[in-house]
Amino acid sequence: MKSETQIVNGCLAAEKWAQEALYKQFAPFLFGVAKRYTPDSDLAADILQESFIKIFKSLSSFNGGSLQAWLKRILVNTALDHIKKHNTLSMAIEISDANAHEFESLVTFDDTHFDAKHLLMLMDALPTGYRTILNMYAIDGFSHAEIANQLGISEGTSKSQLARARFALLRLLNKSEKSYSYAK
Amino acid sequence: MQNKQNHKHIDKVLQEKFSNFEDLPPAFVLDEVLNAVNHQKSKSKKLIFWWAAAILLFSGGVFWLFSLNYNQSNVLTLTQIDQKTNKFNNQSSVHVDDKSSESNNFVSSINSNLAGKQEKIPSNENKKTNEKTTQAPKVNHNKKQEKPKLFERGSALFGPITSIDSFKTLFEPNALEILVALQATNLPTQLASDPLIADFSEVDLIEVDDNQIFPINSIVKEWSQKAVEHLNSQLPTNFLIKRSIHSDSTQDHNRFRLAFGDYAISGTRNNKN
């Protein structure tokens, strides 16, 4: 089994085995990330493909640190480009920070009955703007400033969208949990 | 139904659930990626190859043109000489194309012949030419690296046809000196025993009156023609002597030049003296 460094060096030398190894090691994770950003599996595959091409082209600029985080950042940027290009990012009306804070107190729930696939299915039901900001902030660790910069919106919009997204997801979760209870 | 103690912030739930979330991508993606990446690599490699080929071709072309010009420089130089010294009634210069190995062999044979026949007196204008030392003139094998030196034979100056500056010394060769020069070209015995040559060797060109220059010229021309024909018949096809002799006469002077291979002899006599 080759180490990560050996694989990276192999990719830099355009070795096919290394390219395959890098892909096989990280593609499932990155495809999972891509699927969080788009409910369309074909589009997720396109995003993954485009990301890997970028990765192999720009691997020489990788300065160490977490390779997975670096790869994920490339994929997320590619996904955002696709979302912006397809103009699917519709933002709801901005709400005030105070209102957003009100929402905050409501967004806790019991996750015992939910696995990732179930959650993903619910997230797919969210509007693109909600899903995107929820992904960026809650899961991928972007700040509101970064989100605003990436998506070309204000920080306030980012915050309000996040609050609405959480609330919307929570409603879906509650509905889903009830269905689960009834089924049980 | 809901246990409040199990409640977590939704962000935390999402982080936990998706931190290691994986899904298998379609199999074709890997092929597409590898094709795209390696196609681009081979494309850029091809581009580099074609650039290199183009540069090589261009360099080769420039080198060829340069060497062509270099080879022509002797002829051009002779033309310059002609223009400077002229009103010649006959164009004379020798251009020897010595690019092939066959011709190099020929030149080598000339050189070895010269080593046996030629005598050399070091070039010194103040020193009179009866003092002789034996040294063969150097036939110019490596024109590009080394400029052949002038050498004297009697009162004649032998030198490479490179430029008018390297061959500007006036001298008065006699027929014998000319013959020596001719023999230095490794003329075959047959030609050397030609009556024309014998006659020619008897003639003192310098003493010829202006009125009598024509018969001499005709002899010279005839000899020249024979020499050229003979030499050319002996030489490899790409080792062609184009012109071999040049002489003229005006009221003021007689002037002639014999040129062969890379060497030539020339002479001028001031008739008013």
Side-chain angles (χ1 to χ4, degrees):
Chain A
M1 176 96 182
K2 301 279 183 183
S3 72
E4 204 170 80
T5 311
Q6 286 174 316
I7 291 172
V8 170
N9 289 337
C11 289
L12 290 173
E15 301 277 358
K16 200 177 174 186
W17 67 263
Q19 291 167 341
E20 282 185 14
L22 187 81
Y23 180 88
K24 282 175 182 167
Q25 190 169 334
F26 293 103
F29 168 74
L30 294 175
F31 190 57
V33 176
K35 286 190 84 172
R36 279 197 279 117
Y37 278 84
T38 175
D40 181 347
S41 284
D42 290 340
L43 183 59
D46 284 349
I47 290 168
L48 182 71
Q49 181 179 323
E50 197 178 312
S51 300
F52 263 103
I53 292 169
K54 285 181 188 172
I55 286 163
F56 287 130
K57 273 182 169 179
S58 58
L59 200 59
S60 56
S61 65
F62 172 60
N63 294 323
S66 167
L67 180 60
Q68 181 170 289
W70 186 77
L71 300 176
K72 189 173 89 169
R73 183 56 71 109
I74 290 176
L75 184 125
V76 169
N77 286 338
T78 308
L80 293 177
D81 287 344
H82 270 268
I83 290 167
K84 283 186 277 186
K85 195 164 76 182
H86 292 98
N87 212 13
T88 52
L89 200 63
S90 57
M91 293 298 162
I93 302 161
E94 199 170 320
I95 57 174
S96 70
D97 285 352
N99 286 338
H101 184 70
E102 264 178 48
F103 282 114
E104 285 286 321
S105 61
L106 301 172
V107 289
T108 60
F109 75 104
D110 182 2
D111 67 332
T112 314
H113 307 299
F114 298 99
D115 60 9
K117 287 206 168 176
H118 196 173
L119 276 172
L120 188 66
M121 197 177 66
L122 296 177
M123 283 177 72
D124 285 349
L126 293 174
T128 307
Y130 286 0
R131 188 176 56 248
T132 303
I133 291 174
L134 198 58
N135 267 312
M136 291 177 81
Y137 186 90
I139 307 172
D140 295 324
F142 284 79
S143 67
H144 282 297
E146 287 172 322
I147 294 169
N149 185 42
Q150 286 268 13
L151 301 181
I153 56 175
S154 69
E155 283 188 49
T157 304
S158 174
K159 284 175 187 172
S160 63
Q161 289 289 98
L162 177 67
R164 284 174 177 274
R166 283 171 179 154
F167 194 67
L169 181 62
L170 198 64
R171 285 174 63 185
L172 290 172
L173 283 165
N174 283 333
K175 272 189 194 173
S176 182
E177 192 178 32
K178 279 174 191 165
S179 310
Y180 174 79
S181 300
Y182 293 145
K184 214 173 175 185
Chain B
M1 180 187 71
Q2 284 190 6
N3 182 356
K4 285 279 177 189
Q5 287 177 343
N6 288 337
H7 278 211
K8 292 176 186 170
H9 192 280
I10 193 167
D11 289 3
K12 197 176 177 191
V13 173
L14 293 173
Q15 281 166 17
E16 285 174 1
K17 299 288 181 189
F18 287 116
S19 61
N20 293 313
F21 175 64
E22 292 184 351
D23 197 2
L24 274 180
F28 68 86
V29 177
L30 174 61
D31 296 333
E32 296 279 334
V33 169
L34 292 179
N35 279 344
V37 172
N38 295 320
H39 179 67
Q40 281 171 351
K41 294 265 181 199
S42 67
K43 212 172 162 185
S44 57
K45 272 183 188 170
K46 275 181 191 170
L47 204 66
I48 290 169
F49 170 79
W50 283 114
W51 268 109
I55 289 168
L56 210 63
L57 207 65
F58 178 76
S59 309
V62 169
F63 179 76
W64 179 75
L65 280 175
F66 176 78
S67 56
L68 195 68
N69 286 339
Y70 185 86
N71 285 338
Q72 285 173 348
S73 65
N74 282 352
V75 175
L76 290 174
T77 303
L78 284 174
T79 307
Q80 287 173 347
I81 294 170
D82 290 348
Q83 286 167 353
K84 283 253 183 183
T85 59
N86 228 317
K87 294 172 184 176
F88 289 142
N89 54 10
N90 189 8
Q91 306 303 312
S92 95
S93 64
V94 171
H95 174 68
V96 178
D97 183 359
D98 61 349
K99 280 184 283 191
S100 75
S101 58
E102 283 178 297
S103 63
N104 284 337
N105 291 338
F106 179 77
V107 172
S108 299
S109 72
I110 289 175
N111 203 21
S112 58
N113 201 318
L114 285 172
K117 289 183 179 177
Q118 286 292 315
E119 293 178 326
K120 187 214 171 192
I121 292 178
S123 178
N124 181 351
E125 288 186 7
N126 297 326
K127 196 174 179 180
K128 275 304 162 185
T129 57
N130 290 332
E131 299 170 31
K132 295 178 181 176
T133 60
T134 55
Q135 185 175 346
K138 287 181 183 173
V139 174
N140 186 12
H141 291 288
N142 303 310
K143 282 197 285 190
K144 289 171 189 174
Q145 286 87 25
E146 187 180 334
K147 190 175 179 181
K149 293 173 182 173
L150 297 176
F151 67 95
E152 289 178 349
R153 169 64 180 87
S155 59
L157 182 67
F158 293 76
I161 305 170
T162 51
S163 75
I164 191 162
D165 292 333
S166 69
F167 206 59
K168 63 188 174 186
T169 308
L170 299 179
F171 55 91
E172 296 180 354
N174 58 35
L176 181 63
E177 287 162 346
I178 293 169
L179 190 60
V180 168
L182 298 176
Q183 285 169 344
T185 66
N186 199 23
L187 284 176
T189 324
Q190 174 193 341
L191 190 66
S193 63
D194 191 301
L196 277 174
I197 298 293
D199 291 342
F200 181 64
S201 67
E202 301 283 328
V203 176
D204 185 349
L205 288 174
I206 306 304
E207 297 301 324
V208 173
D209 293 334
D210 286 346
N211 292 337
Q212 294 178 326
I213 193 75
F214 296 106
I216 297 303
N217 263 348
S218 69
I219 290 171
V220 169
K221 282 178 190 173
E222 197 173 343
W223 171 83
S224 167
Q225 188 62 31
K226 275 179 174 286
V228 168
E229 284 171 8
H230 188 87
L231 282 175
N232 283 340
S233 72
Q234 301 290 312
L235 295 174
T237 51
N238 60 347
F239 192 97
L240 188 68
I241 294 181
K242 292 175 181 170
R243 289 178 291 176
S244 69
I245 195 157
H246 188 171
S247 67
D248 78 329
S249 175
T250 67
Q251 281 194 336
D252 293 335
H253 62 267
N254 297 323
R255 181 183 292 143
F256 70 94
R257 180 169 64 246
L258 296 174
F260 45 88
D262 288 335
Y263 288 86
I265 61 171
S266 72
T268 301
R269 180 193 166 97
N270 190 335
N271 288 333
K272 285 182 178 175
N273 289 342

